[in-house]
């Protein structure tokens, strides 16, 4: 009986040894495959269910237009930080991460900027395809041929000298753009915002021929409250074409003409 036990023990050791050997061979094979980039896997977060970028765009940015390919390259030669900085240089990339997975793929995760308005240069019509977007951080970034976001237009001489809204000085204007964009009611009502050289704002609605004089983009809570009262109480009673000018820039009053 003791001899039988020893025989079984030897078999178990032999089988265990073979199993360990198989694992080591498989692990070595996997490690060998992981030494080089097998494929580039791109993930792009979406803006309202759409993407300004395609995976082909991202791969082009990553490889410097194909001049610096990564497929087949050893991971010891890959500078992940450099690749991330290369991607961040492009206006349609808000942030990114480049890393590898256990199978040897290079993973690229892209976060896109989120627009709150579309800036049109002086003299351009609302229906043109040129211009730039304004992100929720106040940064200007280029339009895309892949997707056109439905956001209010932004025009006016103010932007001849202001090429960003990310500064403290421009925070009130950016806050107005974000309120219009984020609120379903205002997003449905407002088609365009025009800003003059002094920074005063006039808004144009989707429906009706009136202009809305906001003045400086300050006291927004009170101004938008008065404007909403105009849309919910005054226009239904008087008609959408009754007025040509509406001003909410003065304290405690709405001026309608």
């Amino acid at each position: 009986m003791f001899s039988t036990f020893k025989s079984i023990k030897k078999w178990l050791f032999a089988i265990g040894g073979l199993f360990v050997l198989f694992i080591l061979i498989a692990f070595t094979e996997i490690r060998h495959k992981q030494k080089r980039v097998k494929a580039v896997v791109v993930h792009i977060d979406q803006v309202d269910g759409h993407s300004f970028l395609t995976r082909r765009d991202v791969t082009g940015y990553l490889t410097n237009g194909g001049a610096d390919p990564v497929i087949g390259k050893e991971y010891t030669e890959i500078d992940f930080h450099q690749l991330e900085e290369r991607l961040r240089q492009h206006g349609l990339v808000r942030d990114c991460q480049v890393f590898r997975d256990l199978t040897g793929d290079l993973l690229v995760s892209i976060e896109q900027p989120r627009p709150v308005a579309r800036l049109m240069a002086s003299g351009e019509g609302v229906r043109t395809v040129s211009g730039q977007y304004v992100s929720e951080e106040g940064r200007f970034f280029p339009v895309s041929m892949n997707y056109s976001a439905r956001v209010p237009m932004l025009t006016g001489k103010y932007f001849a000298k202001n090429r960003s809204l990310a500064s403290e000085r421009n925070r009130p204007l950016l806050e107005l753009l974000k309120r219009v964009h984020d609120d379903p009611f205002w997003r449905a009502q407002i088609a365009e915002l025009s800003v003059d050289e002094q920074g005063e704002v006039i808004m144009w609605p989707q429906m009706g021929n009136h202009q809305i004089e906001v003045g400086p983009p300050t006291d927004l809570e009170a101004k938008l409250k008065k404007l909403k009262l105009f849309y919910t109480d005054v226009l239904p009673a008087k008609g959408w074409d009754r007025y040509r000018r509406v001003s909410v820039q003065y304290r405690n009053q709405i001026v309608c003409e």
Side-chain angles (χ1 to χ4, degrees):
M1 181 176 179
F2 183 72
S3 176
T4 303
F5 176 75
K6 287 179 66 176
S7 178
I8 292 174
K9 190 175 180 180
K10 287 181 180 179
W11 275 105
L12 288 175
F13 273 116
I15 293 171
L18 288 172
F19 180 74
V20 171
L21 181 61
F22 173 78
I23 293 296
L24 287 174
I25 293 172
F27 182 73
T28 303
E29 182 67 17
I30 291 172
R31 293 290 295 175
H32 177 73
K33 290 180 179 178
Q34 289 176 345
K35 288 182 180 180
R36 296 180 181 274
V37 179
K38 290 172 55 182
V40 176
V41 180
V42 178
H43 171 74
I44 305 172
D45 76 326
Q46 295 190 326
V47 176
D48 295 331
H50 300 274
S51 295
F52 295 117
L53 290 165
T54 66
R55 285 170 174 78
R56 184 174 181 177
D57 293 331
V58 175
T59 302
Y61 297 162
L62 187 76
T63 61
N64 197 21
D68 185 16
V70 294
I71 300 293
K73 205 170 190 178
E74 290 193 5
Y75 273 107
T76 55
E77 302 176 54
I78 299 290
D79 186 334
F80 295 96
H81 178 71
Q82 182 185 54
L83 293 180
E84 289 174 347
E85 289 302 310
R86 183 181 291 174
L87 288 169
R88 291 191 183 106
Q89 291 176 6
H90 293 272
L92 292 173
V93 176
R94 178 185 181 186
D95 201 3
C96 65
Q97 283 186 312
V98 179
F99 51 100
R100 55 178 292 186
D101 66 8
L102 296 176
T103 65
D105 291 337
L106 187 71
L107 306 183
V108 183
S109 179
I110 298 292
E111 182 181 355
Q112 300 178 110
R114 301 187 177 276
V116 293
R118 182 167 176 172
L119 177 66
M120 308 301 295
S122 299
E124 291 180 336
V126 170
R127 296 183 182 277
T128 64
V129 296
S130 57
Q132 294 176 299
Y133 288 116
V134 182
S135 75
E136 56 188 9
E137 296 84 20
R139 183 172 63 89
F140 294 176
F141 66 96
V143 297
S144 167
M145 296 300 291
N146 301 307
Y147 169 60
S148 180
R150 297 185 63 182
V151 291
M153 295 296 174
L154 187 61
T155 60
K157 295 181 178 179
Y158 186 78
F159 302 102
K161 296 181 179 180
N162 291 270
R163 303 308 302 165
S164 170
L165 299 184
S167 66
E168 186 68 26
R169 174 174 177 262
N170 286 319
R171 181 173 292 182
L173 177 56
L174 180 61
E175 180 62 25
L176 174 59
L177 296 177
K178 290 168 68 174
R179 281 175 176 258
V180 170
H181 176 268
D182 294 343
D183 189 309
F185 180 84
W186 296 121
R187 194 169 181 174
Q189 296 294 341
I190 305 303
E192 181 182 344
L193 298 91
S194 179
V195 189
D196 67 15
E197 291 176 294
Q198 287 71 44
E200 298 200 356
V201 180
I202 293 177
M203 300 195 300
W204 302 88
Q206 299 277 7
M207 295 179 58
N209 297 318
H210 55 279
Q211 67 178 37
I212 304 163
E213 297 175 0
V214 177
T218 55
D219 300 320
L220 294 179
E221 193 71 35
K223 290 179 179 179
L224 292 177
K225 185 176 180 179
K226 288 187 292 184
L227 187 57
K228 194 166 188 177
L229 181 67
F230 171 76
Y231 274 102
T232 56
D233 292 1
V234 176
L235 282 184
K238 300 294 186 178
W240 286 88
D241 295 324
R242 174 68 173 79
Y243 300 104
R244 292 290 178 269
R245 171 179 171 264
V246 178
S247 176
V248 294
Q249 61 182 314
Y250 305 110
R251 187 179 295 275
N252 298 324
Q253 60 178 310
I254 305 175
V255 177
C256 305
E257 295 178 351

